Amino acid sequence: MAGAFLLVALAVQPAGAAPRVLPLDEAVHDPDLMAFRLLLQEAVEARDLDFVLAQLDPAIITGHDGRHGIDDFRCQWRVEEAAPELWPVLGRLLGLGRALRTQPHRL
């Protein structure tokens, strides 16, 4: 079914136009996730660093160089600066939605 929809969507694209893949949001099927996402969105809007940090795993991996933990997260995202990059990036990520995956992804 999804494959047929994709073929139809590609067929109606203007000639020469690159196909657009829009974010899929299936989070509406998970009330707990929806409630948490709303709290996180409110925290992002309020720039509530304490709330965001409290949600992180203490051993969060912050990069490919082996850094991990809350302190490295704070350093990487420069959360102590007047205008850290964390807020716009996290806001954009939350706007992308969530797709539920029941099987491992394969290319």
Side-chain angles (χ1 to χ4, degrees):
M1 178 71 172
F5 175 75
L6 180 59
L7 289 176
V8 170
L10 292 175
V12 297
Q13 292 287 326
R20 292 185 64 202
V21 179
L22 300 175
L24 177 65
D25 192 359
E26 297 176 329
V28 295
H29 303 296
D30 186 339
D32 292 333
L33 177 61
M34 288 295 294
F36 175 74
R37 186 166 69 179
L38 179 60
L39 288 173
L40 187 54
Q41 286 171 328
E42 290 171 353
V44 169
E45 290 171 12
R47 297 186 176 217
D48 185 347
L49 182 60
D50 291 333
F51 178 85
V52 172
L53 293 177
Q55 308 315 306
L56 298 179
D57 184 305
I60 186 171
I61 298 171
T62 61
H64 298 289
D65 57 2
R67 295 184 305 162
H68 65 279
I70 304 292
D71 289 338
D72 283 327
F73 179 90
R74 293 174 79 103
C75 181
Q76 177 181 349
W77 287 100
R78 300 184 208 120
V79 298
E80 310 305 332
E81 292 184 4
E85 295 178 32
L86 176 66
W87 304 119
V89 170
L90 191 51
R92 282 193 305 273
L93 287 174
L94 287 169
L96 293 177
R98 175 182 185 253
L100 301 173
R101 188 180 299 167
T102 57
Q103 298 179 14
H105 180 68
R106 296 181 188 194
L107 294 175

